[in-house]
């Protein structure tokens, strides 16, 4: 008969694990589980998930002579090992209280309530105290200790002793083996976290590779421009060398970290100085910049300005009518950055390809910036084809 209870409980455990797996696949919950740090709202949502799973474990339990063989401890401990005491303690208290109030006549109600609270506190203590790779092992161990507390309390508090011993003899092995479910629940979250890190590492590698490809001829063109100024305007040549060194320093220091927006604008202005000299001041640049101390990903603005100049202004018949406006405006909780030109205007197919994640030909810089913004802020560029020209906007925040 004990073998039957073991098999049935393993089925119940599998049901909880699969239910948790399905929940983790939902976009709203997966995005939470992928985070490195959880805010109060995240922990509240996660806590609700584990409270519900713990209560389901009680309702889905197996009744045996006044006891309920269930998976409640599995979910409580999993919540503590994975997300800490702010998840496991509420899950332990509420699901334990539910067990006590839902079946007040059950002889094991008090032991189950006490052990549920203990499991919530005990598992929460292990959060961040053990390496990620050992979460599953320690989780199973904590689950077994918690269920042994249940067994000891049943023996001490339940009468008659013969019935208490009969219950213990019947449910002990299934309860111990059932704790393997903690390992499966932990592995689900570990897999989500690993997948996220792998994706981020791959994206960063792609971004670095893309960044190195942005307009590789620019340096050669800049050097030719400087060489031409050396003979008739040495001071201008010296100024351009400083601009080029500033531009190159920013590119060589690129590591996709956040930098002060003022430093980013130094690189933008260095690029513009060189391009204006190269095209005999055919480029009209307007700045509308609020004073802000926000930090942004490096090399975000310059590729957009380059795109406006190279693909918007320079192909025009009358380049001297071309204008690029760079705007940085403080909003309530965000900073809006926009690059607007009155050039030829971007092709609608290019916009569609960028939004679909397809890198358009000759638009590596634009595509790169869009992906990097999505990586940092979950929202990329807003690109609009104007009656004359193109408007590119995006938002950043601290």
């Amino acid at each position: 008969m004990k073998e039957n209870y073991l098999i049935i409980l393993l089925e119940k455990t599998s049901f909880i694990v699969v239910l948790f797996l399905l929940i983790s696949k939902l976009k709203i919950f997966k995005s939470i589980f992928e985070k490195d740090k959880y805010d109060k709202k995240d922990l509240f949502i996660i806590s609700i998930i584990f409270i519900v799973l713990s209560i389901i474990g009680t309702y889905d339990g197996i009744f045996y002579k006044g006891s309920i063989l269930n998976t409640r401890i599995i979910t409580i401990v999993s919540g503590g090992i994975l997300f800490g005491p702010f998840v496991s303690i509420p899950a332990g208290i509420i699901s334990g209280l539910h067990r006590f109030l839902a079946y007040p006549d059950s002889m094991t109600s008090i032991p189950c309530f006490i052990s549920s609270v203990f499991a919530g506190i005990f598992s929460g203590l292990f959060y961040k105290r053990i390496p990620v790779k050992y979460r599953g092992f320690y989780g199973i161990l904590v689950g077994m200790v918690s269920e042994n507390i249940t067994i000891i309390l049943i023996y001490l508090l339940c009468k008659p002793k013969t019935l208490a011993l009969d219950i213990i003899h019947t449910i002990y092995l299934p309860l111990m083996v059932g704790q393997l479910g903690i390992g499966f629940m932990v592995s689900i979250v570990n897999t989500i976290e690993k997948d996220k890190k792998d994706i981020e590492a791959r994206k960063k590698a792609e971004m670095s590779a893309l960044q190195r490809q942005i307009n590789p001829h620019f340096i050669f063109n800049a050097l030719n421009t400087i060489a031409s100024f050396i003979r008739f305007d040495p001071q201008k040549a010296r100024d351009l060398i400083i601009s080029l060194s500033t531009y190159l320093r920013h590119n060589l220091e690129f590591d996709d970290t956040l930098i002060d927006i003022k430093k980013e604008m130094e690189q933008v202005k260095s690029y513009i100085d060189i391009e204006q000299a190269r095209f005999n001041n055919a480029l009209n640049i307007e700045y509308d910049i609020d004073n802000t101390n926000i930090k942004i990903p490096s090399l975000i603005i310059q590729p957009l300005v380059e795109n406006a100049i190279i693909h918007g202004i320079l192909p025009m018949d009358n380049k001297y009518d071309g204008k690029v406006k760079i705007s940085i405006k403080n909003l309530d909780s965000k900073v809006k950055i926009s690059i607007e030109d009155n050039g030829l205007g971007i092709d609608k197919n290019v916009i569609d390809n960028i939004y679909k994640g397809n890198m358009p030909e000759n638009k590596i810089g634009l595509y790169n910036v869009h992906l990097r913004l999505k990586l940092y802020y979950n929202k990329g560029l807003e690109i609009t084809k104007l009656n004359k020209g193109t408007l590119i906007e995006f938002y950043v925040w601290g």
Side-chain angles (χ1 to χ4, degrees):
M1 186 68 179
K2 282 192 293 184
E3 288 82 0
N4 290 338
Y5 282 117
L6 175 59
I7 293 171
I8 294 172
L9 186 64
L10 286 176
E11 291 175 350
K12 304 292 185 183
T13 302
S14 299
F15 169 73
I16 289 294
V17 171
V18 170
L19 185 58
F20 179 65
L21 176 62
L22 294 175
I23 291 173
S24 71
K25 294 295 183 182
L26 296 175
K27 187 175 181 180
I28 183 174
F29 298 125
K30 186 177 180 180
S31 63
I32 294 176
F33 295 155
E34 286 179 341
K35 292 183 178 180
D36 295 323
K37 293 183 179 180
Y38 307 106
D39 57 29
K40 291 181 180 179
K41 180 182 177 181
D42 296 330
L43 290 173
F44 176 77
I45 293 172
I46 295 170
S47 182
I48 294 297
I49 292 172
F50 279 89
I51 289 170
V52 171
L53 288 175
S54 300
I55 291 174
I56 290 174
T58 297
Y59 278 126
D60 195 42
I62 311 158
F63 287 83
Y64 179 78
K65 296 184 179 180
S67 67
I68 305 175
L69 191 59
N70 63 80
T71 59
R72 184 177 58 256
I73 295 295
I74 294 173
T75 52
I76 294 171
V77 172
S78 296
I81 292 293
L82 289 168
F83 304 105
F86 289 104
V87 171
S88 61
I89 292 177
I93 293 174
I94 294 174
S95 65
L97 189 62
H98 166 267
R99 166 69 175 88
F100 178 79
L101 296 176
Y103 306 98
D105 297 330
S106 169
M107 64 182 297
T108 60
S109 291
I110 294 178
C112 287
F113 169 70
I114 296 173
S115 64
S116 295
V117 175
F118 172 83
I121 297 172
F122 190 43
S123 62
L125 294 176
F126 280 83
Y127 179 62
K128 288 191 175 179
R129 285 182 169 84
I130 54 176
V132 172
K133 62 180 179 179
Y134 295 127
R135 277 178 179 173
F137 172 77
Y138 278 95
I140 293 171
L141 189 62
V142 170
M144 288 182 171
V145 171
S146 300
E147 289 293 21
N148 272 288
I149 296 295
T150 306
I151 295 300
I152 292 170
L153 290 172
I154 290 175
Y155 178 77
L156 294 176
L157 301 178
C158 296
K159 296 179 181 180
K161 280 289 184 282
T162 53
L163 179 56
L165 288 171
D166 179 33
I167 291 172
I168 291 170
H169 186 257
T170 302
I171 71 174
Y172 186 78
L173 181 62
L175 285 179
M176 293 302 107
V177 176
Q179 301 312 301
L180 294 174
I182 296 172
F184 288 111
M185 294 183 76
V186 168
S187 69
I188 289 170
V189 175
N190 284 349
T191 300
I192 292 173
E193 292 175 349
K194 182 178 181 299
D195 289 346
K196 180 208 170 189
K197 290 178 180 178
D198 289 345
I199 290 170
E200 285 185 349
R202 188 167 64 250
K203 282 184 176 180
K204 286 184 178 180
E206 291 173 354
M207 293 306 102
S208 296
L210 287 170
Q211 189 64 42
R212 288 192 293 270
Q213 297 176 43
I214 295 177
N215 203 353
H217 301 295
F218 172 75
I219 297 174
F220 302 106
N221 292 331
L223 291 173
N224 287 331
T225 301
I226 293 170
S228 68
F229 274 96
I230 288 174
R231 284 187 290 179
F232 62 88
D233 194 346
Q235 182 57 50
K236 182 65 174 179
R238 284 193 288 269
D239 292 341
L240 290 175
I241 288 172
I242 293 172
S243 295
L244 179 60
S245 66
T246 301
Y247 173 86
L248 290 175
R249 185 176 72 252
H250 281 282
N251 276 270
L252 292 173
E253 291 175 352
F254 169 75
D255 58 4
D256 221 20
T257 57
L258 296 177
I259 65 170
D260 191 285
I261 196 168
K262 295 183 179 68
K263 186 176 180 181
E264 174 76 0
M265 285 305 299
E266 286 179 8
Q267 198 253 5
V268 171
K269 290 176 180 178
S270 296
Y271 169 80
I272 290 171
D273 287 343
I274 295 168
E275 290 293 67
Q276 283 183 320
R278 179 184 167 201
F279 294 104
N280 298 316
N281 294 315
L283 303 174
N284 299 300
I285 308 296
E286 179 183 343
Y287 297 98
D288 182 13
I289 300 176
D290 290 349
N291 184 32
T292 178
N293 295 319
I294 197 165
K295 291 189 175 184
I296 64 173
S298 59
L299 294 178
I300 282 288
I301 301 177
Q302 183 271 330
L304 304 181
V305 175
E306 180 176 348
N307 180 79
I309 293 172
I310 301 299
H311 300 289
I313 303 300
L314 295 183
M316 293 171 58
D317 293 332
N318 188 355
K319 299 178 182 60
Y320 289 92
D321 289 336
K323 184 174 74 173
V324 177
K325 180 179 180 180
I326 303 169
S327 174
I328 300 175
K329 308 302 292 182
N330 288 318
L331 303 181
D332 292 337
S333 58
K334 299 179 181 180
V335 173
K336 179 181 178 182
I337 301 172
S338 59
I339 311 298
E340 181 179 353
D341 68 75
N342 64 347
L344 295 183
I346 192 168
D347 191 292
K348 182 68 166 57
N349 290 331
V350 172
I351 300 176
D352 293 339
N353 281 327
I354 289 173
Y355 288 162
K356 291 176 182 177
N358 302 321
M359 185 172 68
E361 187 178 357
N362 298 326
K363 293 292 187 293
I364 296 174
L366 204 59
Y367 179 72
N368 174 28
V369 172
H370 179 68
L371 290 186
R372 290 172 59 213
L373 287 171
K374 288 184 68 176
L375 183 63
Y376 274 99
Y377 305 105
N378 293 319
K379 184 176 176 60
L381 297 172
E382 297 178 6
I383 308 172
T384 306
K385 181 177 174 62
L386 306 175
N387 290 332
K388 187 177 183 182
T390 303
L391 172 64
I392 298 178
E393 300 173 307
F394 63 94
Y395 297 84
V396 296
W397 54 88

